[in-house]
Amino acid sequence: DAGVIQSPRHEVTEMGQEVTLRCKPISGHNSLFWYRQTMMRGLELLIYFNNNVPIDDSGMPEDRFSAKMPNASFSTLKIQPSEPRDSAVYFCASSLMAAGELFFGEGSRLTVL
Amino acid sequence: DQQVKQNSPSLSVQEGRISILNCDYTNSMFDYFLWYKKYPAEGPTFLISISSIKDKNEDGRFTVFLNKSAKHLSLHIVPSQPGDSAVYFCAASAQGEYGNKLVFGAGTILRVKS
C-alpha cells in the first residue's frame, strides 16, 4: 500500500517566489493535516481538513500561507511570497477521522534564500 | 503557548540500558496520547499510544506510562538498542467533533551508544 506521498522532496527558492507543496493522502483516509517542523518549535500544526473541508487553520502563520484540498486525494500548501524564515520541513499526514494515529509523508524540505 | 512540552532536547544512553523520555501537557481536555519516532530524512512514524482511561500500555520493549494528576507521560525503552537512536515526539489530542487533532512536543533526540 502506498503511504502519504509528498512532492517535491526538496525545494530551494529565492525570497519572494511562490512555493507550492503537494500531498496525496492514503486512499480512504478522510482527514489531512499539514505540519511544519523547525528546530525551535518541533512539529507545528498548520491546518487540517476533514472530508476535504478546512476545519482549523489557526496554525497558518500569516496570509502568505494558503492550503486547499480540491478532492479526497490531493492537497496543496502554497506560500506566496516566500521568505527565508519559511525554511523548514513541511509534513503532510492523513488519518481516519475517528482514529488517533496519523500517517506521515516523508516531508518537503524547503529552503528560501 | 506550548500545550505539550518535552523539556529534554536530547538523551544519551548506553546500549542495553533503559531509556526514559518524558513529556508534560497542560490541556486537561487531552484524552489520548501518542509517541512517534522519526529518523533523519523520513516522516514521523507511530510508535505507541495510551488512552486516558489507562495508566500504562506496553508493546514489546516500549512502555508508556500516564500520570493524569501530574499531566505527565513517559516512554520507557528496555533494553535500548542502537537502532532506537532517533527523534521521539510526544503528541496529545482531545476527542472532538471533527476527529483528532494531534498537538506535538518539540521532540527529544535519543542516542543509544553501542
Side-chain angles (χ1 to χ4, degrees), chain B residues 32-48:
Chain B
Y32 192 63
F33 305 89
L34 307 88
W35 286 94
Y36 277 76
K37 181 168 74 173
K38 184 185 178 305
Y39 292 120
E42 295 183 10
T45 55
F46 170 75
L47 186 59
I48 192 170

Side-chain angles (χ1 to χ4, degrees), chain B residues 71-109:
Chain B
K71 294 191 176 66
H72 177 84
L73 66 155
S74 61
L75 174 68
H76 292 210
I77 307 174
V78 182
S80 301
Q81 299 174 354
D84 295 329
S85 298
V87 179
Y88 289 78
F89 290 98
C90 171
S93 72
Q95 283 288 343
E97 181 181 356
Y98 297 106
N100 298 319
K101 179 178 81 172
L102 290 188
V103 179
F104 284 84
T108 296
I109 301 171

Side-chain angles (χ1 to χ4, degrees), chain B residues 11 13-21 37 47 58-63 75-85 88 110-114:
Chain B
L11 174 68
V13 172
Q14 196 68 34
E15 179 179 7
R17 306 295 288 267
I18 184 171
S19 296
I20 300 176
L21 297 98
K37 181 168 74 173
L47 186 59
E58 189 172 353
D59 184 3
R61 296 185 297 113
F62 303 90
T63 302
L75 174 68
H76 292 210
I77 307 174
V78 182
S80 301
Q81 299 174 354
D84 295 329
S85 298
Y88 289 78
L110 174 65
R111 296 186 184 91
V112 180
K113 299 175 289 185
S114 56

